[in-house]
Amino acid sequence: MNALIWFIVAYWLVTLGIGVYASRLVKNSRDFALAGRSLPMYIVTATVFATWFGAETVLGISSTFVKEGLAGIVSDPFGSSMCLILVGLFFARPLYRMNLLTIGDYFRQKYGRTVEILVSLCIVVSYLGWVAAQIKALGLVFNVVSGGYVSMEAGMIIGAASVLLYTLLGGMWSVALTDFIQMIIIVLGMLYIGWEISGMVGGAGNVIAHAHAAGKFEFWPAPTPRDLLWFIAAWITMMLGSIPQQDVFQRVASSANEKIAGRAAILGGVMYFCFAFIPMFLAYSASLIDPKMFAELIDKDPQLILPTLIMNNVPLLAQVLFFGALLSAIKSSASATLLAPSVIVTENILRGIWPGQTDRQFLFTMRSVVFVFTVIVTVFALNSSSSIFHMVENAYKITLVAAFVPLAFGMYWKRATRQGALAAILLGFGSWILMEVFAPAGTWPPQLVGVLVSLAGMLAGSLLPQWVRHHGLALHAAAKSSDPGQNPL
């Protein structure tokens, strides 16, 4: 136990050292936000993968799988990995060519200041759940490895403070460099633990057969309207709702060129999908290795099954590698999701309120917002009772209903207008909220209603004014030509 704690302390100091080193590379606000748009393929791929392979992947997805099977994890990893592939195929290169600082800048250039502010606020709010999930996971790790000596609450505060420090120092440079190291630790750690656990259960085939017999591989919904609609809603929540997010955009925009931006997003998505199944395998193996512990925690707190299995049943080296991989996953996601909304707030909200700042002042403001946002999400995490998986899943509903349609249609539909974007945002968000209040578990999922109404708002808001204008001009011209007073003859 003591050796494991000391390893964690040493690992923490190394990441802080990287943050100090990365701070030397930050010369201006663009370096802090986008690492100077200079990152090579292997670094961008690493930061895409490491950012998404977070607490929800190791603890959230695995605990949801052991309770609900594949049917419970449609949104992540199936939807989330597909999101990255879609970004690489359709969004990375066009956004990279625009040379923007944030995804909010796109909405300002396309639709104007009002749309920029509305979408930026939605994006920032959506990060509360995601970042809080990482901080909550840090508290869980400190609590488990210390044998309960460090409480969950104290662990959250310690973890948030340490991630804040190196993110504050080096910005995107810190995130990118630590993500590269953390990707290596995640990959090696997960593969080694998978090999170690498979040896304890007589091979992976035994675990797979047991899970299959228990019905955990049932994926497709029952052929009823309600089940089909909720399945679709779960899939698109992260697949589409994650696309208009600043952390995804930052990785695209930080690339050295547009080819890297597209290819790294696709490769990162494929890697994420493949490695996300290892924690599921590990967590379900607990039902064979320690059935008593599994039965006790499955209803009490399934998020504890995997870390408890590792603490009680594998040698120290395996513990070090597992918790190293877990901490790497959490820290990479936490740092990225602290930086992304802070940059959005500074660039797309505060810059308009305090114009005329020098770049040095702008950089100071950006770092100040990182600090304030960290405090807010830590308080939110301390007072939230949601599971890690559902905190992350719920985070993307707001961007799905308010931001995806304006982004996609603005990029690929020439007739998209400011009025259409405003209608899409307001109607999509409003209908989603109404459904969450009055019919949260009805036949129609609230977020699916929200995105469909948002789509209708974009079409109606863009086409109706154009139709009215066109027919109004035609009627005016017809009336003018038929007016005898206008005819000189």
Side-chain angles (χ1 to χ4, degrees), residues 65 68-73 78 204-221 277 280-281 284:
F65 173 76
E68 305 175 27
L70 291 181
I73 57 170
F78 292 95
N206 286 339
V207 178
I208 294 172
H210 192 280
H212 183 269
K216 299 301 179 182
F217 293 155
E218 294 180 6
F219 179 72
W220 299 107
F277 284 90
M280 296 183 227
F281 166 77
Y284 196 81

Side-chain angles (χ1 to χ4, degrees), residues 106-108 110-122 401-407 409-410 413 415-431 450-451 453-463 465:
Y106 168 83
F107 291 98
R108 182 181 67 249
K110 179 66 180 178
Y111 301 116
R113 175 68 174 160
T114 302
V115 173
E116 172 195 16
I117 293 176
L118 290 174
V119 173
S120 296
L121 288 172
C122 289
V401 303
F404 172 72
V405 169
L407 173 64
F409 275 69
W413 191 45
R415 302 181 72 177
T417 66
R418 175 177 176 273
Q419 292 90 341
L422 285 170
I425 296 166
L426 297 175
L427 293 177
F429 182 81
S431 60
V451 74
V453 173
S454 177
L455 173 61
M458 170 59 77
L459 295 175
S462 297
L463 295 178

Side-chain angles (χ1 to χ4, degrees), residues 81-99:
S81 56
M82 194 63 201
C83 162
L84 294 173
I85 295 171
L86 291 176
V87 168
L89 290 174
F90 300 108
F91 295 92
R93 296 190 184 201
L95 286 173
Y96 187 88
R97 293 186 202 118
M98 296 180 72
N99 194 23

